[in-house]
Amino acid sequence: MSEAKDPQDTCVLVTGGAGFIGSHTVVELLQDGYKVVVVDDLSNASERVIDRIKTIVGDAAAARLTFYRTDVNDREAMSAVFDGDHIDRVIHFAGFKAVGESVSKPIEYYANNLGNTLTLVDVMRNHGCKDIIFSSSATVYGDPDSLPLTEESPKKPATNPYGWTKWMIEQVLTDLHTADPAWNVVLLRYFNPIGAHPSGLMGEDPKGIPNNLLPYVAQVAIGKRACVHVFGNDYDTPDGTGVRDYIHVCDLATGHAAALNWMNGRTGVEIFNLGTGRGTSVLEIIKAFSLACGKDLPYQIDPRRPGDVDANYADCSKAKREMGWVAKYDIGDMCRDSWNWQSKNPNGYEG
Ligand code: UD1
């Protein structure tokens, strides 16, 4: 059963807590008074993130943070984590997330993302912990019939194995609750997370050539890449370029805190969109980032990228109504914080 508790009496396990969204969420939870256990195998993150988290939150809150360098697939190690700390709730971020790579490595993606979730929920069950927030994605809506997307909008076939893993894990967690109604499942469907911590100490640190728009634009701004490649200008959108609902990573972090608070003492399966409700085109992003970094960023129009949709943006009224959560940062803030992070850390966490 989900037991209602105050943050200071609640221990939250955050898998993938050293990653981009995970690290910002851990900061938010520590600042809210939670005890936090981070499990991350650092396969796509740096241990330096843990130090940065501690710097941001200060010594008193940092004392409530425990970090284990552990793969969530490692059942014995995960059992030991649950044996060592009384875990009340879990936020599950850990997973592979590169769309293109998932197409060439489907076995690895299904094995890791589905496998680690199954291991996690089994270990949770064995330890009487049945409260989980899952890091899902607007990718489950596929090519939308109508906008904005509400939580009732139909799920559509994914266009890549990464998307399918999000799709399938949502189903796994839903089935878990059907089998045992004591489970308390929250599926958070993120739109496009960008930005960075306003301190400039944490941000997105992609390895190699960035797949996503914002990190690519930031690398053009810092001079690492020559120009932005705009994937198509013949979409059915006002300026012909793709439109997405970009959301500041710190707003996503408060969304997780709101969900933890909301799920306190409940059971069930609930879905929330986390976005801003506003669509922004690729050209608008380039313009906003140019303003933030103080120079015009060069770009060229390239062919469409397979699998991309014209536009998507969220209806976030459910999160507001139910959890009292709204995104407060706008595109200008997101580009400013992203540039602040990129300019202070040109090589990410590697210094
Ligand atoms: C992508 C994934 C989505 C995943 C999300 C995670 C696809 C099809 N979707 O979303 O499943 O949950 O990342 O953050 O890959 N663009 C350019 N030039 C670039 C990169 C992107 O013009 O160099 C355009 C794209 O065509 C799109 C927009 O920018 O219109 C955003 O792209 P991106 O940042 O990759 O996010 P999504 O594709 O929306």
Side-chain angles (χ1 to χ4, degrees):
M1 267 304 285
S2 180
E3 194 189 337
K5 285 182 165 186
D6 291 333
Q8 57 269 26
D9 302 322
T10 307
C11 180
V12 184
L13 169 67
V14 182
T15 74
F20 176 44
I21 307 173
S23 58
H24 289 79
T25 300
V26 169
V27 163
E28 180 64 33
L29 299 187
L30 290 169
Q31 288 174 335
D32 285 355
Y34 288 98
K35 197 175 163 219
V36 178
V37 174
V38 167
V39 164
D40 198 304
D41 66 356
L42 303 181
S43 58
N44 190 27
S46 162
E47 189 155 10
R48 293 193 183 148
V49 174
I50 304 299
D51 294 329
R52 301 278 176 102
I53 291 172
K54 290 179 177 171
T55 304
I56 292 171
V57 301
D59 290 345
R64 285 184 269 104
L65 173 65
T66 312
F67 169 61
Y68 296 103
R69 182 172 185 169
T70 295
D71 181 347
V72 181
N73 287 289
D74 184 339
R75 177 180 297 270
E76 267 179 39
M78 289 304 290
S79 289
V81 169
F82 276 80
D83 290 341
D85 293 278
H86 177 82
I87 309 283
D88 297 291
R89 305 191 210 295
V90 175
I91 305 182
H92 181 36
F93 291 105
F96 294 160
K97 62 172 188 180
V99 172
E101 185 184 62
S102 80
V103 175
S104 53
K105 295 184 173 174
I107 297 175
E108 285 78 2
Y109 270 68
Y110 287 117
N112 185 59
N113 293 7
L114 292 174
N116 80 5
T117 305
L118 294 174
T119 300
L120 174 67
V121 291
D122 192 28
V123 171
M124 286 175 67
R125 175 176 64 173
N126 294 339
H127 289 80
C129 175
K130 296 182 179 179
D131 287 21
I132 185 166
I133 295 176
F134 175 59
S135 178
S136 190
S137 166
T139 196
V140 302
Y141 295 119
D143 196 356
D145 297 327
S146 63
L147 293 170
L149 288 155
T150 74
E151 291 80 357
E152 277 77 45
S153 299
K155 283 173 79 170
K156 295 280 191 71
T159 53
N160 53 72
Y162 158 80
W164 276 118
T165 66
K166 295 294 180 195
W167 207 105
M168 289 177 187
I169 293 167
E170 285 198 348
Q171 189 63 44
V172 167
L173 297 177
T174 304
D175 292 344
L176 211 51
H177 174 264
T178 305
D180 176 1
W183 278 88
N184 188 9
V185 175
V186 176
L187 308 174
L188 297 181
R189 292 179 177 162
Y190 315 145
F191 281 69
N192 288 55
I194 62 168
H197 195 270
S199 63
L201 289 170
M202 298 194 315
E204 194 167 9
D205 183 17
K207 307 271 174 282
I209 303 171
N211 303 300
N212 297 115
L213 179 63
L214 253 293
Y216 201 102
V217 169
Q219 292 197 1
V220 172
I222 200 81
K224 274 194 177 178
R225 318 237 165 239
C227 82
V228 182
H229 297 266
V230 177
F231 298 151
N233 66 349
D234 57 352
Y235 282 107
D236 184 15
T237 61
D239 67 18
T241 65
V243 165
R244 297 291 183 272
D245 185 342
Y246 296 93
I247 173 169
H248 197 295
V249 65
C250 291
D251 275 330
L252 268 192
T254 60
H256 289 78
L260 267 183
N261 190 40
W262 179 86
M263 79 196 295
N264 200 6
R266 294 176 195 254
T267 56
V269 181
E270 210 66 42
I271 302 169
F272 292 102
N273 285 339
L274 296 183
T276 63
R278 283 183 297 277
T280 306
S281 74
V282 177
L283 293 180
E284 286 171 330
I285 286 284
I286 295 172
K287 203 168 158 195
F289 209 101
S290 297
L291 214 65
C293 71
K295 53 180 172 258
D296 278 340
L297 299 178
Y299 66 87
Q300 69 180 50
I301 308 294
D302 280 6
R304 290 183 175 200
R305 181 173 66 178
D308 277 351
V309 301
D310 300 69
N312 77 4
Y313 50 91
D315 177 331
C316 300
S317 54
K318 183 177 175 188
K320 183 176 181 189
R321 195 173 61 242
E322 295 276 336
M323 310 197 294
W325 174 88
V326 282
K328 57 177 202 208
Y329 293 97
D330 65 20
I331 285 291
D333 302 326
M334 299 180 216
C335 291
R336 176 200 64 214
D337 291 339
S338 175
W339 173 241
N340 184 39
W341 154 254
Q342 182 72 65
S343 52
K344 285 183 176 155
N345 307 269
N347 298 312
Y349 289 107
E350 297 320 310

